[in-house]
Amino acid sequence: MKRTLGAVTAAAAIAISLAACSGGSSTTAGEAKGDINYWLWDANQLPAYQQCASDFTKINPDIKVKITQRGYGDYWTTLTNGFVAGNAPDVFANHLSKYPEFADKKQLLALDDAVKKDGIKLDVYNEGLADLWVGQDGKRYGLPKDWDTVAMFYNKAMTDAAGITPEQMANLDWNPKDGGSYEKAIAHLTLDKNGKRGDEAGFDKNNVATYGLGLESSGTGQGQTQWSFLTGTTGWTHTDKNPWGTKFNYDDPRFQDTIKWWAGLADKGYMPKLETTVGASVSDAFGAGKAAVNTQGSWMIGQYTSYKGIETGIAPTPKGPDGKRASMFNGLADSVWAGTKNPAASVKWVEYLASSACQDVVASKAVVFPAIKTSSEKAAEAFKAKGTDVSAFTTQVTDGTTFLFPITENAAKVEGLMGPAMDAVVSGKKDASTLSETNEKVNALFK
C-alpha cells in the first residue's frame, strides 16, 4: 500500500545518521552477476514483480533476484535497521517522503552514470515523474516505478437508494463555507440506526449505522487521500516551492478553513470520529457497509472492487472554489542501497524494473498505473477488461489538475509535529487555528 508516511522514530533517524556510510557514489564497477535482494511493501503487486524477476533472470541467467514483501509500517522500520546493521536489501521500492533523508545520509546509490551509459530514456515516463527523484545535489536516486492520483470510491447500492446518480457523483462541488453538493451528498448518504438520513429531521448523529464519508486518519501534514484534494482547489500549497521547499503554509487561512470544515463532518455525524478508527481498516469498513464513500488512491482500486456483494463506483474528486478538481500526484521509484555488494547487478535490475518489459507486466495485472506512459495506457485497458472504469483517476492527469507530492528535507520531523496537531483538530480537541503554532515549529526546522 502506498500511503503517506508518518514519522520515523527519532532513534532510527539518529541511527541512520551514525551509520551513514561513504556511499552515495555512482560507481557500478564489477560484473553484473550474483544474487540480489529486492524489497517492496504492496502484496497486491507481488505477483507482477515475481513475474518480472523470472523474466529478468531468463535474460540475465547469472543474476538471481529474491523478492521480500513486508507490510507498510514494518517495511520502513526494518529497512532503516538494515541500513544501520549493514544488511539492507540491494534494491528497494522507495517513497518520495523518505528518499531525501536517505540520500542525505548517503544510503542511496546515484544512478546518473548508469542512466547515461545505458542510454535510459527519461522522457518515456509520465510528465514530472523522473524529475522527482533528482536530489538537491543534482544526482538521481531512483527510476520511476508507478504513479497515483486520488478519487472517490462509493457503494453504488447506497447511492442508488439515496437517489444520487453516477452523473451527480461525478460532478460534485465543494467549498469550505457550506461544503457544497459534496457535503449534501455525504449528509444524504449517512444513515442512523433508525434509518434516518443525515439531512432529515430527527437524525441521531450519536447512533450512526452508515457514514456518508469514511475516515482513514487525520492525514498528518500531507493529507494525500484525506484532504489534499480539497486544499488543492483553494490556491493553497503545502510549501513555498516544490520540490525542496523550506517554508510550510499550515498557518494559511485557506488551509485552516478547509480542515475546520472537513473535521466538522465528524461532529455532524457524517464521518466517524477519529478515535473510533484507530487500528481499523477504512477500506474494510467500506466493504462491511459502514461507509458509503471513501476517498482513496488509485493503488487501492483492486481492494475496493473486490468486496463481495458490493458494486463499487468510482467518481473523481469534487470541484472546489477555483472551479477545478485537484489531486496529489505521487510516484514511487526503485532505488539501490549504497552498501550493496553487487552494484552492477542491482543497477541492472533497477533499469529492468523501470523498463516497458517489466512495467507492461505490471500493467497487465491491473493493480496500479506504471510510470511509463505506454504501460500506463495498457493498465487502463487491463482495468477496463476487468470491468473497472478508472477514468476518475486518469482524468486528473489528462486535465492537468494534479499537484506534486511535497518533497522536502526533515519530512519525518515535519510529520512528527503535524501528526499529533492534526489528530487534535480532527478529534475536536483543538481548533484549526492552533495549527499556526505548529507551523512555526515546523518552519523552525529549516532555520
Side-chain angles (χ1 to χ4, degrees), residues 15-23 104-107:
I16 288 182
S17 180
L18 293 174
C21 63
S22 58
D104 184 56
K105 303 303 181 189
K106 310 297 183 188
Q107 295 293 347

Side-chain angles (χ1 to χ4, degrees), residues 255-445:
F255 171 74
Q256 293 183 7
D257 288 349
T258 302
I259 298 303
K260 187 173 183 177
W261 168 81
W262 178 65
L265 294 176
D267 187 54
K268 293 174 182 176
Y270 305 158
M271 184 170 76
K273 291 191 179 297
L274 183 64
E275 57 267 26
T276 68
T277 66
V278 177
S281 163
V282 66
S283 54
D284 286 348
F286 175 89
K290 294 179 181 177
V293 179
N294 276 359
T295 56
Q296 263 291 358
S298 51
W299 63 92
M300 293 294 288
I301 294 171
Q303 182 84 14
Y304 276 90
T305 55
S306 68
Y307 291 112
K308 290 181 179 178
I310 293 181
E311 185 181 355
T312 302
I314 310 174
T317 55
K319 293 178 181 177
D322 66 359
K324 299 177 182 177
R325 309 183 196 285
S327 172
M328 190 177 281
F329 188 57
N330 189 19
L332 300 187
D334 290 301
S335 297
V336 179
W337 175 42
T340 177
K341 293 179 173 60
N342 201 340
S346 297
V347 168
K348 200 161 192 173
W349 170 235
V350 166
E351 291 179 347
Y352 187 79
L353 289 167
S355 72
S356 58
C358 177
Q359 295 200 10
D360 280 356
V361 169
V362 174
S364 71
K365 303 294 185 184
V367 178
V368 293
F369 296 107
I372 295 175
K373 285 177 273 192
T374 53
S375 301
S376 192
E377 290 162 4
K378 289 176 181 176
E381 289 301 314
F383 278 117
K384 187 177 179 182
K386 290 173 73 172
T388 305
D389 180 3
V390 294
S391 59
F393 294 102
T394 59
T395 190
Q396 301 274 10
V397 177
T398 56
D399 292 350
T401 51
T402 62
F403 57 93
L404 295 177
F405 183 98
I407 304 168
T408 67
E409 292 182 314
N410 301 310
K413 292 177 182 177
V414 171
E415 293 300 281
L417 289 168
M418 284 301 293
M422 285 294 296
D423 284 354
V425 172
V426 177
S427 63
K429 293 172 184 172
K430 290 189 178 180
D431 188 78
S433 61
T434 59
L435 295 170
S436 293
E437 183 182 338
T438 308
N439 192 66
E440 289 182 16
K441 295 176 183 176
V442 167
N443 287 336
L445 297 171

Side-chain angles (χ1 to χ4, degrees), residues 123-199:
D123 60 357
V124 300
Y125 305 108
N126 272 283
E127 190 175 353
L129 291 183
D131 298 338
L132 295 174
W133 293 89
V134 177
Q136 287 196 88
D137 58 4
K139 294 179 180 179
R140 172 171 302 285
Y141 292 107
L143 285 176
K145 180 184 195 67
D146 55 36
W147 62 265
D148 57 78
T149 53
V150 177
M152 297 188 293
F153 292 100
Y154 64 91
N155 185 314
K156 201 163 182 309
M158 291 181 181
T159 54
D160 286 349
I164 303 174
T165 67
E167 290 71 30
Q168 288 173 314
M169 285 298 296
N171 289 285
L172 297 176
D173 61 71
W174 91 280
N175 65 76
K177 290 187 175 68
D178 62 18
S181 61
Y182 182 50
E183 179 170 339
K184 286 180 181 176
I186 291 168
H188 195 56
L189 287 165
T190 303
L191 284 167
D192 70 14
K193 291 179 179 175
N194 295 316
K196 289 280 185 184
R197 295 192 175 277
D199 55 0

